Amino acid sequence: MQKGPVHHHGVSKAHGCKHVAVSTFSKLFPDLPGLPLSVEDAALLGGPGGLKHDFDGNSPDCAIPAGYAFFAQFVDHDVTLDATTALRGAPLSNEAIAKLPNIRSASLDLDCVYGFGPEASPHIFDPERPGRLAVAENGFDLARSPGGVALIGDPRNDENLFVSQMHLLFHRFHNRIFDERLPPIPGGRAQRFEYAQESARFHYQWLVLFDFLKRLCDPAVYEFAVGKLIAKDAAFPYFYKPAHGHLTMPVEFSVAAYRVGHTLVRSVYAANQDQLDVELFEDAFGALGFSEAPEELVVDWRYLLPVDDCLAPRMCKAVDPLLADELQRLPLPVVPSNSPNDRALAFRNLLRGNSLSLPSGQAVAAELAAHYPGIDTSYQPTVPGRPDLSAQTPLFFYLLAESADRQGGERFGAVGSALILEVFGGMLKYCETSFLHQAERWQPDPCISKERYGWFSDRYREGFDYEALARTPDYYPFDLADVVRFVEAD
């Protein structure tokens, strides 16, 4: 689709957000020692046939619509990318971790969508319609090179059909904002692009904080942490702070806590009304990842998100220690290795945690308990036949076991919730141009949110109630389903 350079200007980074840059990794708890984990123990817990393998998909559903599993992956690819550490590397020191490059900005800035902007990443943008992101001419796939490579800011977002279609949704979201929701702006296309980009980012940040994390996290921890954030409590977050004016990416978040998204995934999904049982890496249509989306598998988000009141979407898998069979047998295009262990995602997560010197779950719980409600420092997961791993448990396994034992698999446990709210809260607090730092409390566009349909109209007239967003369980005045409604409205 690319026919020439994009002749307009624009930037992808949020103006004045000092930490936005390719960053490094760090330790959230630098004084806690790493918990050594052998390859054999990683295989016992997370290898094929191990304690974390959901062979037959028997793990129950939770109350989170299935589309959020792919939104979680999309968000992960927006904030973290470790292209350096070896899977079987020796445990690194804090100093070595601090030198590891994070090839994403530690910020909810959608750089996975915008790259470095129209000038520096012109392949992402539509050369014939300046200010818009590129979409395939067929309208249902990402724009691609002649060789089939997706023209996007982060190539990982093409690794399976569903996250690829999620990425496409945000290209289309930006484009519709650009086409329909801009006020009169003097100065031409550059200013219009930047306004649309800012609007898309603000809506995205809202979705992360007030939609996705609210559905995922322990309610008491969520209400406490988000209450602190919106009240602009100077002490919050308690551990995640800028270093030398920049935000780093804590490995306790990137290698353990935020990998909670992996347990939400099932092996089979409904893509549309004609394909109700599609494998995550679908071989029948040649959609094993990093390839064009077949027309037969174009995702109808009504089957994965609560878009249509008359169509019940599929739900995420329970938040528990089990990972779906498709994730425990990753295909070669995703993991080019013939080792069954290397292709098991749980094994990879655990071994990566060892190489990055992650502390035990019990040690992290003890650190957080002084600041967050509901954390039980006496909790020990059950690891059959291994009392040593029950008493000192790898962080990734601990967080998922706590979720199953304390939340019944419906939500992330208190320790995991505190960890991810620390980091996401810091991302929003320390970015001077996030939606939380606007002169007036920012509200979603009424033509994009539920206000368009007359829902929440009585509360919208007074402005969405930020405090209710933190404390009221079913208050979602703008959620991911609204993005779908807006993008696909006639």
Side-chain angles (χ1 to χ4, degrees):
M1 139 170 225
Q2 297 293 104
K3 297 181 180 180
V6 180
H7 296 293
H8 66 290
H9 300 271
V11 295
S12 73
K13 304 302 183 186
H15 297 299
C17 192
K18 295 177 183 177
H19 69 271
V20 175
V22 173
S23 61
T24 60
F25 288 88
S26 64
K27 294 289 287 292
L28 201 60
F29 307 102
D31 295 332
L32 295 182
L35 177 68
L37 185 70
S38 68
V39 171
E40 293 74 22
D41 283 345
L44 167 72
L45 294 173
L51 297 179
K52 292 176 70 65
H53 192 161
D54 186 14
F55 281 105
D56 300 316
N58 291 329
S59 183
D61 287 343
C62 67
I64 304 171
Y68 286 94
F70 304 107
F71 182 70
Q73 186 176 4
F74 176 81
V75 174
D76 175 68
H77 293 174
D78 188 40
V79 299
T80 180
L81 171 57
D82 175 10
T84 305
T85 58
L87 186 64
R88 289 179 168 80
L92 298 177
S93 66
N94 291 352
E95 293 74 20
I97 291 170
K99 295 178 181 177
L100 290 175
N102 175 26
I103 317 300
R104 293 257 72 89
S105 63
S107 170
L108 295 168
D109 66 348
L110 285 178
D111 66 343
C112 70
V113 168
Y114 294 108
F116 293 100
E119 289 189 320
S121 302
H123 61 286
I124 297 172
F125 295 85
D126 187 335
E128 297 179 352
R129 300 177 7 142
R132 299 166 180 83
L133 291 157
V135 173
E137 291 183 3
N138 59 29
F140 59 74
D141 193 13
L142 297 168
R144 297 182 181 274
S145 72
V149 175
L151 303 177
I152 55 179
D154 191 315
R156 295 174 296 170
N157 281 347
D158 196 33
E159 73 181 21
N160 68 61
L161 169 74
F162 296 94
V163 75
S164 175
Q165 292 274 286
M166 179 65 70
H167 192 106
L168 174 66
L169 180 67
F170 277 86
H171 274 218
R172 296 174 64 199
F173 185 54
H174 167 92
N175 290 349
R176 190 142 197 178
I177 290 173
F178 185 90
D179 289 344
E180 297 181 6
R181 298 304 305 151
L182 299 189
I185 300 173
R189 289 171 177 162
Q191 286 71 27
R192 294 180 65 218
F193 165 76
E194 290 177 1
Y195 186 97
Q197 181 189 47
E198 178 182 75
S199 178
R201 280 180 172 154
F202 285 178
H203 283 89
Y204 164 67
Q205 291 166 357
W206 177 290
L207 290 173
V208 172
L209 182 62
F210 291 137
D211 180 24
F212 171 57
L213 294 180
K214 185 174 181 178
R215 296 176 191 271
L216 175 66
C217 291
D218 172 274
V221 174
Y222 179 85
E223 180 178 348
F224 173 83
V226 175
K228 295 285 186 183
L229 183 64
I230 62 179
K232 300 186 178 180
D233 188 311
F236 181 85
Y238 301 105
F239 301 94
Y240 186 49
K241 310 288 185 182
H244 309 294
H246 295 279
L247 279 181
T248 55
M249 175 50 61
V251 291
E252 296 92 338
F253 172 92
S254 65
V255 185
Y258 197 59
R259 301 205 175 193
V260 62
H262 294 165
T263 193
L264 301 177
V265 174
R266 288 211 176 273
S267 292
V268 175
Y269 288 94
N272 52 56
Q273 65 179 355
D274 297 318
Q275 301 294 337
L276 296 175
D277 294 291
V278 174
E279 292 184 353
L280 182 63
F281 301 103
E282 180 56 65
D283 192 24
F285 295 90
L288 283 174
F290 304 108
S291 59
E292 295 181 7
E295 187 170 3
E296 297 91 338
L297 297 184
V298 172
V299 172
D300 181 344
W301 290 109
R302 295 179 305 159
Y303 289 86
L304 302 175
L305 292 168
V307 176
D308 186 337
D309 290 342
C310 295
L311 199 162
R314 303 281 178 93
M315 307 305 282
C316 286
K317 191 184 79 58
V319 187
D320 62 22
L322 301 175
L323 268 65
D325 187 59
E326 286 275 284
L327 298 184
Q328 291 295 86
R329 296 184 301 105
L330 291 167
L332 284 171
V334 176
V335 179
S337 170
N338 290 319
S339 165
N341 278 339
D342 286 358
R343 289 166 62 185
L345 188 56
F347 173 85
R348 297 177 66 85
N349 290 346
L350 289 162
L351 213 54
R352 187 82 69 190
N354 176 70
S355 68
L356 290 169
S357 303
L358 292 190
S360 70
Q362 288 86 350
V364 170
E367 291 289 315
L368 291 167
H371 298 279
Y372 284 88
I375 292 178
D376 178 5
T377 57
S378 68
Y379 171 70
Q380 291 189 3
T382 299
V383 182
R386 293 297 302 273
D388 57 327
L389 290 177
S390 293
Q392 291 291 303
T393 313
L395 183 58
F396 178 57
F397 188 94
Y398 177 98
L399 298 177
L400 298 183
E402 181 204 28
S403 304
D405 292 340
R406 293 289 189 261
Q407 298 284 339
E410 283 294 306
R411 303 229 182 196
F412 208 11
V415 177
S417 297
L419 281 172
I420 63 174
L421 287 165
E422 270 281 314
V423 176
F424 281 123
M427 289 179 187
L428 293 168
K429 175 177 179 176
Y430 296 117
C431 178
E432 301 90 334
T433 55
S434 79
F435 81 94
L436 289 178
H437 288 287
Q438 302 312 296
E440 298 181 2
R441 283 190 167 180
W442 182 83
Q443 312 288 348
D445 186 324
C447 289
I448 298 174
S449 71
K450 289 183 176 61
E451 174 67 1
R452 178 176 185 167
Y453 307 97
W455 303 334
F456 297 107
S457 58
D458 56 332
R459 283 174 279 189
Y460 191 91
R461 282 194 293 270
E462 300 300 324
F464 287 152
D465 185 342
Y466 269 48
E467 284 69 29
L469 286 162
R471 67 174 181 266
T472 305
D474 295 321
Y475 184 47
Y476 294 104
F478 171 64
D479 62 12
L480 192 54
D482 293 318
V483 174
V484 176
R485 293 187 189 99
F486 172 67
V487 166
E488 297 185 352
D490 293 331

